Amino acid sequence: MKQLLLITLFLFLPFSYSNAQESVVVTESTLKVAGLGEEAFYYGFAKGDEIVFDFSEANGKELKELEIIELPSSSKFSDYKVKKVQDKRIKVTKTGIYKFRLSNSSLGGRVCRLKIQRIPASENTRIFDSSVYWRTVQDTTYTTKQERYLVRADTAIVKVTDQVAPVSSTTAVNGNPNKTVVEFTLPAGTVSWSYYIGVGATGEKAYDGARDKFVNTAAASVAKLPGYGPMAALALYGINYFSKAQGEDNVKYWFITDWDNVLLFKAGKQFYQYKSGDVINEASQMKAPNRGKVYLGLLNDNVMDQIQVNVHATAITVTPVWGTRQVRQMHVQARQEPYLNALK
């Protein structure tokens, strides 16, 4: 009976030995975790492996936290205020990457000794590359936001002023000065404007003549903007239909920068201006100023006669019409991703 038992044991011993796998050292090292610092290590393990983990702090001091995580986020083991971990074993249910995290909350460093081994499930997985490699991947996400956009820009012709300004002579018996100021305000959205200045009946006749000349042009027949005429053509395109008039009466004019300089003009002192002339009539396109008040100073140098100055101004305005719409925005963010050589 004893002989039979010995034979049975002898038959099973080789079989049991042949199925027991020796451990493979993945890493064995000593490292320092800086004060208030953290260290992390990544290693790969094959399905069926058993991880054997050993840890100790060389000086017997506590490490705040130690954790083993199966990526992406499955915590397999953690310990706090740890000085030593001996022969901690973790079964690997699927091939993957494990993160070994050491966190130190102390101001002083910690000298840590690590030994990580793997016991393969079979001889087939003994030669397994535990090294972890890194690659850059891009994550693309989409968000929706409300965007303001230009639906259209409405262009309009605005008649700013049509007036006759009397200017006394230098020897007026009523004591009126031989200068005056015409004011007008440019409408909101003005991009350009035009003016016409004409003295007396001669100047007004030249103004009417430009209107008649424009009516007979091709531009008049195809004009789509309401109010489009010689003043608008001058303001919009700089096309001048106004002829120079011939006559005896003239006017000196200045476009004055602001009210303070208007007062200087009235007082006969030096003042700032941005356009001037001495004319019987004159028409011109203006790109600036394009907002606020415009001050036009007029001076009559005639000794005996008062003059009547015709002042016309037309502005081109552009009014934006805005709308809102939903737009899809793409966001691309690069990140580092770990991988195993066998799973590229």
Side-chain angles (χ1 to χ4, degrees):
M1 189 68 177
K2 288 181 181 180
Q3 289 179 339
L4 183 61
L5 181 59
L6 287 172
I7 293 170
T8 304
L9 287 171
F10 178 79
L11 290 171
F12 276 94
L13 276 172
F15 178 80
S16 301
Y17 177 78
S18 65
N19 279 276
Q21 297 296 322
E22 292 182 2
S23 64
V24 177
V25 176
V26 176
T27 186
E28 185 170 10
S29 61
T30 300
L31 64 126
K32 185 175 182 179
V33 182
L36 303 177
E38 184 174 292
E39 296 288 342
F41 305 91
Y42 298 82
Y43 297 102
F45 296 91
K47 180 180 179 180
D49 279 359
E50 186 173 38
I51 301 171
V52 182
F53 178 75
D54 291 282
F55 164 84
S56 64
E57 206 287 326
N59 300 309
K61 296 179 180 180
E62 289 182 345
L63 185 71
K64 178 195 173 184
E65 185 181 3
L66 189 154
E67 186 177 21
I68 302 174
I69 304 165
E70 180 187 9
L71 296 188
S73 59
S74 178
S75 181
K76 297 300 182 181
F77 170 76
S78 65
D79 202 356
Y80 297 88
K81 296 183 178 180
V82 58
K83 296 179 181 179
K84 187 174 184 179
V85 176
Q86 188 171 2
D87 200 39
K88 174 63 185 177
R89 297 184 176 233
I90 299 171
K91 270 309 251 187
V92 177
T93 57
K94 61 181 179 180
T95 300
I97 298 171
Y98 283 70
K99 176 181 178 180
F100 297 80
R101 184 174 67 86
L102 286 70
S103 178
N104 179 18
S105 61
S106 174
L107 293 175
R110 294 290 185 263
V111 179
C112 303
R113 294 189 180 122
L114 287 178
K115 186 176 183 180
I116 303 172
Q117 304 172 81
R118 53 179 289 269
I119 302 175
S122 68
E123 194 64 29
N124 293 334
T125 57
R126 171 169 289 278
I127 302 175
F128 180 83
D129 185 3
S130 289
S131 300
V132 173
Y133 303 88
W134 295 86
R135 61 190 166 200
T136 300
V137 295
Q138 293 183 331
D139 294 330
T140 303
T141 58
Y142 294 89
T143 59
T144 302
K145 63 173 285 189
Q146 199 171 62
E147 178 186 72
R148 190 168 178 254
Y149 73 103
L150 183 65
V151 177
R152 66 181 186 275
D154 292 339
T155 302
I157 299 166
V158 181
K159 187 178 289 186
V160 180
T161 188
D162 282 313
Q163 60 178 289
V164 178
V167 189
S168 297
S169 67
T170 59
T171 59
V173 294
N174 58 7
N176 287 340
N178 68 326
K179 59 181 68 172
T180 191
V181 175
V182 174
E183 298 180 25
F184 54 88
T185 302
L186 295 173
T190 295
V191 292
S192 62
W193 53 283
S194 62
Y195 70 87
Y196 176 84
I197 299 170
V199 180
T202 302
E204 192 61 18
K205 183 178 179 181
Y207 180 80
D208 293 336
R211 196 164 46 193
D212 295 338
K213 187 191 300 184
F214 176 79
V215 169
N216 296 321
T217 64
S221 62
V222 298
K224 294 182 179 179
L225 287 173
Y228 190 73
M231 288 293 288
L234 181 58
L236 191 58
Y237 302 115
I239 301 172
N240 199 331
Y241 290 92
F242 298 91
S243 301
K244 285 290 183 182
Q246 301 296 320
E248 296 180 357
D249 294 328
N250 68 296
V251 66
K252 292 182 178 181
Y253 75 89
W254 297 267
F255 281 102
I256 305 171
T257 54
D258 53 40
W259 182 250
D260 288 339
N261 281 281
V262 167
L263 296 177
L264 293 173
F265 165 73
K266 289 182 174 183
K269 298 179 181 179
Q270 285 190 331
F271 59 92
Y272 286 105
Q273 51 83 25
Y274 52 89
K275 190 172 178 62
S276 63
D278 184 354
V279 298
I280 296 172
N281 72 327
E282 172 119 310
S284 184
Q285 180 194 50
M286 299 291 283
K287 294 286 189 179
N290 58 10
R291 67 181 68 185
K293 283 215 170 200
V294 173
Y295 301 99
L296 174 61
L298 302 173
L299 184 142
N300 178 12
D301 61 3
N302 192 302
V303 177
M304 300 296 296
D305 298 324
Q306 184 190 66
I307 58 173
Q308 304 292 322
V309 182
N310 301 285
V311 179
H312 305 275
T314 296
I316 305 298
T317 64
V318 175
T319 304
V321 178
W322 298 93
T324 55
R325 60 188 174 193
Q326 296 289 328
V327 293
R328 193 169 180 238
Q329 288 188 321
M330 182 175 72
H331 308 276
V332 179
Q333 187 172 16
R335 61 180 174 84
Q336 292 296 302
E337 178 185 76
Y339 69 96
L340 298 174
N341 194 47
L343 302 177
K344 286 193 295 186

